[in-house]
Amino acid sequence: MALDAGKGPEEYGAHGDWKDLVPSVTDAPTLGEGLKIARDHSGRSLAELASLTRVPARYLTALEQNDFSILPNRVFSIGYVRAYAGALGLDEQLAVERFKRESPDPSVPLQPPVGVAFEEVKRYSPRLIAGCAVLLFAVVGWNVFQRVNLMRAPQPSDIAEVPETWRVGTIPGQDANMRLTAPHPAPPDQTIPALYVTPGLEMQLTGIDPAEAAAAAAAATPVAKAFNPRGAIYGASASASDVVIQARKAAAIVVRMGDGRVLFARQLAAGEAWRAPANVAAVIDASDFGAFDVYLNGEHGGALTAQQTQLSQLNARAQTLAREAAAEIAARAEAARLAAQAQIQAVSAATPAPAPVAPTGG
């Protein structure tokens, strides 16, 4: 029989002297006071109830004092409330519900707002939206109306005659149209006069005949194109190589030694080069020999002429060209030295000797 229902069974409630010995937990101001009143009516101590419910006495005291902060986690706390209420003869479910109201769970997320104020906002929301829509429509309609009123239908011009100055291609006072003629040739480019050189002055100052210098320059061998690295350079160092093979376009090159060993093999991109070591007997095998330029001593020596080329031939050509260049430089230096010596002798011969100075008598 539940004593917390507020009433006893009907057969007991008919008697006038019947009253509930245990007050309902909902009649007390707080859950703790209701539990304490029920314990006082039962006449049992906290120690007895702790032994009966297997709940520590400090937790029962905390429930009676509404000090929920020292209770363990919420699951155990609800179990303690249920056990304590059952031991005192109270309705366990009512005690648990009151505990949940007086000690809400902070982990429960916030619920959407409810109440009279929120219902009022929901009730007037369609009206507010409709009012905003009407206001927006009125503003847009007013702007469209103003623009339509400002628009005017096209009307014929009031000008009776087009002025003469408005005619395309005419000049005021003339009726003939402007006609384009053939384009005139461009004016000749401005030229700068040649610098005047005093005849004989250059030869007298430098000792070199201009005509002879021009003839020698015309007969001189033109300077060959120098090696210009435009990518990675493989092989020997610059100081240990006289032959450089550079690719004008992507092509493969394989260099094999006399015993069959591969000295170098690579697909060279445009601009990449390979320096050949000196005094090495090897064969250069090119996939496209016309795609490789040969540079001897840093100057262009033409392209590869065959798919397979002896490296010793290229080294020999480089050494021969180096000796010829050294001999030519030495010959020019000797000729310049002899010319300077002859000039000095000519100047000395043309200079008159100073007249002797007569001694003065004492």
Side-chain angles (χ1 to χ4, degrees), residues 72-109:
N73 59 57
R74 192 168 183 82
V75 176
F76 284 98
S77 301
I78 292 175
Y80 294 163
V81 172
R82 189 182 301 275
Y84 197 18
L88 294 176
L90 301 175
D91 192 312
E92 300 176 2
Q93 189 61 32
L94 291 177
V96 169
E97 293 298 330
R98 185 156 190 181
F99 173 76
K100 291 181 179 180
R101 289 195 305 270
E102 295 182 5
S103 177
D105 187 4
S107 61
V108 177

Side-chain angles (χ1 to χ4, degrees), residues 240-301:
S241 176
D242 299 329
V243 178
V244 178
I245 299 176
Q246 187 178 37
R248 288 199 302 267
K249 60 181 180 179
I253 182 175
V254 179
V255 182
R256 293 184 176 87
M257 303 286 290
D259 55 359
R261 292 180 300 169
V262 176
L263 179 62
F264 178 77
R266 191 176 183 87
Q267 175 82 13
L268 295 181
E272 295 183 344
W274 174 70
R275 287 196 183 100
N279 303 323
V280 173
V283 177
I284 301 174
D285 189 356
S287 61
D288 183 5
F289 58 88
F292 293 96
D293 289 327
V294 179
Y295 290 87
L296 305 175
N297 302 320
E299 296 182 356
H300 187 255

